[in-house]
Amino acid sequence: KVLPACLLLALLLLAPALATENERGLIINLEAGELCLQSIQCKSGCCHRTSGLSLARCAPKAPEFHECSPTSIYGVYYKCPCESGLTCDTDKSIVGSITNTNFGICRDPQDLYRR
């Protein structure tokens, strides 16, 4: 009888945190500036930190001609990935991916083909 009561209590506490698609929650659909652990929590899709010791916060994706990181599995970025429709023009080396230093510049892929 203790386990069902604990489960019910956990569900009651988590229910407000789990938001619908249009609502802001405590752990998902976070706005820019709110603390995060993974990019999936942020409305923008970018959980950003300025240094290895700083707290990560949701941030907007990088616009054209700004620094960016390619999308990674880590979920936290030092430079946000590009806005939709742009690509992060960078050296995609294995070492850069592991050390999280493979920063680039957001560019329109149509402009890359015109060069």
Side-chain angles (χ1 to χ4, degrees), residues 27-44:
I27 57 173
I28 58 171
N29 287 333
L30 301 177
E31 299 288 343
E34 293 186 283
L35 293 172
C36 55
L37 296 173
Q38 292 286 318
S39 290
I40 197 166
Q41 294 177 276
C42 304
K43 278 186 180 179
S44 67

Side-chain angles (χ1 to χ4, degrees), residues 39 45-49 69-72 75-81 100:
S39 290
C46 179
C47 185
H48 172 265
R49 68 174 39 181
S69 291
T71 304
S72 78
V76 178
Y77 297 95
Y78 289 104
K79 306 286 182 192
C80 285
N100 202 14

